Amino acid sequence: MPETIDNRRRTLICGAACLLTLPAHAQDLLTPSQTPGPFYPDLPILDQDNDLTRIAGRDGIAEGIISELSGHLVNINGSPLAGVRIEIWQCDHNGRYRHSRDDNSEPMDKNFQGLGHSVTDQMGRYRFRTILPVPYPGRTPHIHAAIFRSGMKPFVTQIYIEGEPRNSNDFLFQRIPSELRPLVLAKFKPSNNEPVELAAQFNFILMDRAS
């Protein structure tokens, strides 16, 4: 049976990612890991798929700029990693996470799923529909991502908006060495695929046993 959200949350908190020792030039190609943060959703998720903008059985759509995030999951050699679960979570348009300890006074968007998952295909491809991430007090806009591979610790990172001025003052973004920061940036561009307004490509490059 698939892991429950609670089990995955415990796994995330125990250890986000552990990169193997690599030559310096190889290390610089890997997606930097980051903390999962305190707000991995713990409130009931009413729908679990790769579209965070709609809840099954409801007619409404999430507030915010509807966006798509897609890309590939590959190893350090560029080989696709197929059949791997990727999760993303983020705050809604009001800056609220689906978490019981989020004390933001803004109302929660009941049409925003908050957490979604995708399973990579044979080419290592994944896709999500969500909203353009927004800032909240103390943080620049970002999307959390976790990759769950059998027999390995989850890999966790955060995806930031390319060209976002708030990145320069974000304490977690600034912890990443400057030469590696481009590896956690996604460029959101206009999309002609209604109702999607923006789309971004983001590739995860990880170590695996075969590397």
Side-chain angles (χ1 to χ4, degrees):
M1 294 180 63
E3 290 183 295
T4 65
I5 289 177
D6 285 344
N7 287 340
R8 290 197 299 275
R9 182 175 185 276
R10 284 193 290 269
T11 304
L12 288 174
I13 292 173
C14 289
C18 183
L19 296 178
L20 302 179
T21 301
L22 291 172
H25 70 279
Q27 184 79 35
D28 290 347
L29 298 176
L30 297 171
T31 302
S33 64
Q34 288 212 286
T35 173
F39 294 136
Y40 182 82
D42 67 351
L43 297 179
I45 303 297
L46 303 179
D47 192 6
Q48 297 190 45
D49 57 17
N50 66 339
D51 186 350
L52 283 69
T53 68
R54 292 187 179 274
I55 303 295
R58 294 183 180 175
D59 295 330
I61 189 169
E63 297 181 58
I65 299 174
I66 305 301
S67 304
E68 283 195 352
L69 178 70
S70 62
H72 293 79
L73 171 62
V74 299
N75 66 17
I76 193 68
N77 299 315
S79 299
L81 300 177
V84 177
R85 181 185 179 99
I86 300 177
E87 291 184 356
I88 66 168
W89 67 99
Q90 66 188 95
C91 66
D92 63 23
H93 184 64
N94 298 321
R96 285 285 303 272
Y97 282 93
R98 294 194 63 83
H99 195 282
S100 57
R101 289 191 288 110
D102 184 352
D103 59 3
N104 189 329
S105 61
E106 294 294 323
M108 184 178 295
D109 182 356
K110 295 183 179 180
N111 291 316
F112 185 62
Q113 193 167 296
L115 169 72
H117 80 271
S118 178
V119 177
T120 57
D121 66 11
Q122 291 302 308
M123 299 297 293
R125 295 176 296 191
Y126 74 90
R127 182 178 296 275
F128 290 98
R129 181 169 293 183
T130 184
I131 61 170
L132 185 71
V134 300
Y136 57 87
R139 289 305 314 276
T140 192
H142 61 281
I143 298 173
H144 299 266
I147 298 173
F148 297 87
R149 293 175 289 170
S150 178
M152 302 183 73
K153 291 182 179 180
F155 174 85
V156 182
T157 193
Q158 297 182 30
I159 302 169
Y160 300 87
I161 300 174
E162 182 177 327
E164 169 57 58
R166 297 177 184 86
N167 292 345
S168 61
N169 294 318
D170 187 85
F171 72 105
L172 284 177
F173 182 79
Q174 291 300 315
R175 285 182 184 175
I176 302 170
S178 59
E179 66 273 14
L180 300 182
R181 290 172 193 165
L183 299 175
V184 294
L185 293 173
K187 187 173 185 177
F188 287 82
K189 302 178 181 179
S191 170
N192 294 322
N193 182 25
E194 294 185 2
V196 177
E197 298 181 56
L198 299 174
Q201 293 279 319
F202 185 88
N203 296 324
F204 298 95
I205 305 174
L206 306 184
M207 280 294 296
D208 68 7
R209 299 184 189 88
S211 299

